[in-house]
Amino acid sequence: MDCGVCAGSKPRGFCGACVRERWLQHAWLDGVVRAGSSRQEKHTPEGQQTHEVYEWQARRLQARRQRVAQLRTLIGQRQDQIAAARQLRDTLQQQQQECRDRLAEDKDGLAEGKDRLAKDKDGLAEGRDRRRARWQRAQAQVRADRRVLAQALGGVAGLRLQGGAALDERLFGLPWPQRADWAKYPAAYIEACVGHAVHVFSVLAHYLHARLPFYAAKRGGRLYMRAAWRRADAPAAELAVSPRARFVVALGMLFCAIAELCRAQGVAAPEPADVVGNMRRAVCALAEPPPAATPPPLDVYAAVVEAMRLYADAARPAAALALREAVHAELRRLHLCDDAVDAADRDASSDDENWAII
């Protein structure tokens, strides 16, 4: 007898596969097919034999098995994906928890850092206040010491820092000539006053450690003014009344050096010819607090012009012009402010041409 499942001849009408898959006996299936049940008639085409029905049912079962196997495989894949997703979720949750813990630790550290910063800030403020107080006490002590030094230096230099106007204009008891009296005093008196001024200036420059553009030198009983940037054997201007042009140039160099001495102490010299007053300002500046800004320097030619005005006579313009030419020649000999001298000569020549035209 043929088996409708395995398509083989079996003596008992069914095979082991039919038994394992819980199929009924071949005779019962044959009777069901012949009875023409509604289900078999519905799904079985007409004109098919029994073994064809068995084959058709076997194909349907095999297709279902394949679908079930595919579904089981898909379910296994989905379960693996779900397990991987769960593991990833657990990992992310663990990392998130670690991040939260670190964030909490960082917040605690930041709070501690803020507390330490506040304490350090308070400590810095206290230290700044203490340093400021010490600096103020030190400045007060320095001012007091500088005041004592100024008085001592004034006593050594022969400058009266306190007293009346008549006393203030004296150097070692010798009155300093006024602006209108330079041409009236004898040459010996002018040279004596200038010699006292040079002595006081040298003492102040030594004690104040100031770097000046000009310095005084003594050679054979005579005083000279020399530029600090020139060689030792370079030409110098003698502080002697005769010749007048050389004395004016030397006097202008002395005015410029004293004004620079005042500038080194932070004070200005409004009148370059006021030698005693300028040196007194330089000494008195020791007892004063340092200035906010340094005054501008005095030009050498301006100081020489200020010295020329001491001997210029408005009633004698020819003598003043001759003195200016001689002073310019002396400046060219010493190679001082050549540009300023040339500019002054060009201006003077243009003024003469204008007067000639008028």
Side-chain angles (χ1 to χ4, degrees), residues 215-280:
Y215 67 95
K218 189 174 183 180
R219 191 190 328 171
R222 296 179 179 273
L223 295 176
Y224 295 88
M225 291 300 297
R226 188 185 301 277
W229 64 87
R230 302 294 299 277
R231 299 189 305 272
D233 56 349
E238 183 181 357
L239 283 168
V241 176
S242 180
R244 182 67 57 83
R246 186 171 301 175
F247 177 69
V248 167
V249 172
L251 198 61
M253 296 166 68
L254 178 63
F255 291 168
C256 183
I258 295 175
E260 188 64 23
L261 180 66
C262 294
R263 181 175 176 269
Q265 300 302 315
V267 294
E271 292 292 336
D274 187 9
V275 173
V276 181
N278 292 336
M279 289 191 293
R280 186 188 305 110

